[in-house]
Amino acid sequence: MFSGGPIFESSIPLSVFGVDRQDAGVPRYRLLVCAGEDGPLRTTGGLELSAPYGLDALGRAGTIVVPAWRSISQPPPASALAALRRAHEEGARIIGLCTGAFVLAAAGLLDGRPATTHWMYAPTLAKRYPSVHVDPRELFVDDGDILTSAGTAAGIDLCLHVVRTDHGSDAANALARRLVVPPRRSGGQERYLDRSLPEEIGGDPLAEVVAWALEHLHEQFDVETLAARAYMSRRTFDRRFRSLTGSAPLQWLITQRVLQAQRLLETSDYSVDEVAGRCGFRSPVALRGHFRRQLGSSPASYRTAFRARRPQDPADRADRGADGRPDRPDRLERGEGSRGETLPHQRRGPGAESGGMDPGRTEPDPHAIRLPEQHGRADGAELAGLARAAGLTRLRPERAGGRPAPGQVLGQQAARSTAMPGQRDRPVG
C-alpha cells in the first residue's frame, strides 16, 4: 500500500484474501499488508493507516497485489519498484488493480505484455509506456504471472478470478456469494468508454484529424480516409494513433459511432435505420451488431430501457392533481395519454372494425369492453360516465345473440394498423 491511494481499491484485496471464510468453503490465504513507502499512509477522507510490514516482506510472497496508485502523474518510489522487480524475478505473481498498472509499468514488468487499466487512464498508460499493449476494453487481463484490472469494481472481478485459478470455480462462487457480487461479469469496459481523449492530444499533429472525425461521424469514411488526412501511410497512422489513444483507429472509430448512436437513441425520435445512417454505419445491421457487442443490448431495447428510467416529465406532473391522478379528462375521453399518445389498452390491430377480432384469430379482443343489450337503452349521460371511468371513448351495446355490431369495439378510433394479418399491435415502451 502507498500513501494517497483510494481506500476502496486498497480494501479489495483485504476483503477477498484477508478474511477467514473457510466455513463457507473458501480456502484461506495468508495476507501480509506491506507499506510501499514510509508511513503513516494517508488515504481517502484523511484516514491514516499503519502497515505491519515493509518492502522486505515482498520476498516472502507468492502473489503481490498493488492497489490503485495515488496519481498517474507521479513516479512511484524507486525502492518499491526495485522490490517488485526482485520479487517477480524470484517467481512471484504480480497484480495491479486499476492505476496500480502504472506502478507495474514503471517497474518494467509490463514491457511487451498485454495490460489494462481504468478506461479513462488507458490512453495515458499507452502513450507513456509504448511497449505495453494496453487494451482499454477488458475488465482484467491475465498474462500468467502478471495480471491487471480496470477501475474500481473490476478489481473484485480480478481477485475472484485469482481465487478461481488457484482453487476452482466452487471456491470462487462461494466467495462471490459471501461478497454478494456476480461470480463472473460478462462484457468489458466498452459500455463505459467516453469519447474523451487524453489532454496531450491537443499538441499532437493527429489532433486535427481526430477533431475532424468527431465532427463528421454522420458521414461514411474509413481509417484510410483519416490516414490520408494525416498525410501518413495506413501502417504509420495505425502505429501513431495507437500510441496516442491506446486503441486501434478502427476500433476507436467504431466506438465513436456507437456512442453517437447511443446519444441519438436517448435524445431523438429517429428510427433505428435513421440512427444508423446519421452515425455513418453502412446499414442498420452493422449498427445493431456493433451496438450489441459494446453495450450488451439492441438499439431498440436500449432506447426502451433508457426512456423507462427517465424522470417523469414536468408536463406529466402538471396533468395530475394533488392526489397524483390525471386531471385532464378531456384527453382521456379522446383516448390520449398526458402527452397525447394513444393509451396502450386502446391500441387496436387489423380487424378492429369487425368487433375486436383479428383476421387470423378466433377469440375476441381482450381489451374490448361490451355491455349487455339492456345497457344499450341506458341514458346517454350514464354511458358517457362509464366510458370516462374506464378511460374509453364510447360504449356500444351488443346485438342479441352475442354477435358484435359493426364498429362495436370500444376505445379510440385509431388508424388502421399496418401490421401483417394475424399479428396484434403491441404497446411500445
Side-chain angles (χ1 to χ4, degrees), residues 9 48 62 64 73 97 133 147 180 190 229 296 341 386 422:
E9 285 83 351
E48 289 190 356
I64 298 173
S73 61
L97 304 183
H133 306 310
L147 301 90
V180 197
E190 286 180 328
R229 294 188 66 88
E341 72 272 12
L386 289 171

Side-chain angles (χ1 to χ4, degrees), residues 336-359:
E336 297 176 5
S338 58
R339 298 184 186 177
E341 72 272 12
T342 304
L343 296 175
H345 66 274
Q346 295 164 336
R347 295 190 176 100
R348 299 157 51 206
E353 290 78 3
S354 60
M357 306 284 286
D358 267 346

